[in-house]
Amino acid sequence: KKLGQLAALSLESESSQILRTMKPNKIQNSLSQRLDTTLKDSHDMKAFGMGTLASMATKERYVRFTTSLYGVYSTMENELDKCCGHSSNSNPAGAEQNSIKYHNSPVVFFWKRHSEILRRAELLRGDISALTELGSGYDHDESSHSPATLQYINAIKEAGAQDRTDGSGRLLGHAYTRYLADLMGGQVLGTPTRLALRLEKGLPQQYSFSFPTDRKAYVESIYRDFTECGKIMN
């Protein structure tokens, strides 16, 4: 319990410090500023802390939590890939025909620049495999998700379909919500999760990033590119 509480407090203080000292998210009326404003108005750190505690209670709960996240991330990353004209679930010719041109799509601009570092789905899959008897044979089944998770997944699919139709940036809101949470809190949550659940060294993988410089500098680059995405949409 104390580990979870400390994790939530550390996450809030460290993340707040990064957000306070950055410049790209303070440009008036930029997409970065508007996304941050929405987050500040709606994000409840107490609720987040309780959710974190619940996922750390037992390995079984953590697997359920991670399975839901895998469903969300695998769907989102597949939709982002489709916007760029490549997807493991579609043939190359069809994907290329339906993709939006790079210079016209804010989603393509963002994902081509950050997909290599941000991808989480396979890391989540690795965590699930390591904590279950299924091992590498884990097969994702959407029917196992809760109604709330399925609603979330369907919303991501709809956003992706619309973005590929009109070149808009609906998926950017989903990417901001998920990846900024990972970047801002993942470095803090990894160790408490491993200690609370007595996981092997190297787990969980989902919070591991390979930054080209340091975390703050990379987060700043994310915000700068969100601002550019806003300009593309305008």
Side-chain angles (χ1 to χ4, degrees):
K1 182 177 180 180
K2 289 183 178 180
L3 283 172
Q5 292 171 334
L6 287 172
L9 289 172
S10 298
L11 170 63
E12 185 174 20
S13 59
E14 185 177 356
S15 298
S16 297
Q17 182 179 11
I18 290 176
L19 289 172
R20 281 198 308 270
T21 57
M22 283 196 311
K23 295 181 179 179
N25 63 332
K26 297 177 179 64
I27 300 174
Q28 194 68 23
N29 293 323
S30 66
L31 180 60
S32 292
Q33 185 193 53
R34 292 182 180 185
L35 287 169
D36 266 9
T37 299
T38 301
L39 178 66
K40 291 174 184 176
D41 291 344
S42 60
H43 188 47
D44 187 337
M45 283 301 299
K46 291 183 180 179
F48 173 81
M50 293 299 294
T52 301
L53 287 174
S55 70
M56 291 181 182
T58 65
K59 287 185 179 180
E60 290 75 16
R61 285 191 177 186
Y62 185 72
V63 169
R64 288 200 301 271
F65 168 73
T66 306
T67 299
S68 294
L69 285 181
Y70 176 75
V72 169
Y73 278 88
S74 60
T75 300
M76 180 173 67
E77 289 168 7
N78 186 49
E79 293 298 324
L80 289 164
D81 283 343
K82 285 181 180 180
C83 287
C84 295
H86 55 89
S87 168
S88 59
N89 295 330
S90 60
N91 65 76
E96 183 66 28
Q97 182 179 0
N98 293 325
S99 66
I100 305 297
K101 294 296 184 181
Y102 175 76
H103 65 277
N104 288 333
S105 169
V107 172
V108 176
F109 173 84
F110 174 82
W111 194 233
K112 280 186 175 288
R113 293 169 68 87
H114 296 287
S115 61
E116 185 176 343
I117 293 174
L118 293 181
R119 288 184 188 275
R120 300 290 94 189
E122 288 308 307
L123 296 176
L124 288 160
R125 183 187 179 91
D127 287 340
I128 296 168
S129 298
L131 294 172
T132 63
E133 297 178 355
L134 297 173
S136 59
Y138 169 72
D139 186 21
H140 178 229
D141 180 8
E142 281 194 5
S143 65
S144 65
H145 293 313
S146 68
T149 300
L150 288 174
Q151 186 176 12
Y152 191 1
I153 288 173
N154 289 333
I156 293 172
K157 290 179 179 178
E158 291 174 6
Q162 287 295 320
D163 286 349
R164 288 188 294 278
T165 298
D166 58 20
S168 54
R170 294 169 180 83
L171 282 174
L172 294 177
H174 292 288
Y176 170 89
T177 301
R178 298 262 47 104
Y179 293 126
L180 261 296
D182 296 329
L183 288 166
M184 301 303 280
Q187 305 297 296
V188 176
L189 293 177
T191 298
T193 300
R194 183 172 67 255
L195 294 175
L197 298 175
R198 299 180 181 179
L199 304 179
E200 296 179 3
K201 185 177 180 179
L203 295 176
Q205 302 176 67
Q206 63 165 300
Y207 299 124
S208 300
F209 287 91
S210 296
F211 298 119
T213 52
D214 58 69
R215 184 165 73 106
K216 180 182 177 182
Y218 184 67
V219 171
E220 288 181 327
S221 76
I222 291 279
Y223 275 107
R224 281 195 298 271
D225 287 341
F226 274 127
T227 295
E228 288 303 313
C229 288
K231 294 178 182 178
I232 293 172
M233 286 188 285
N234 288 334

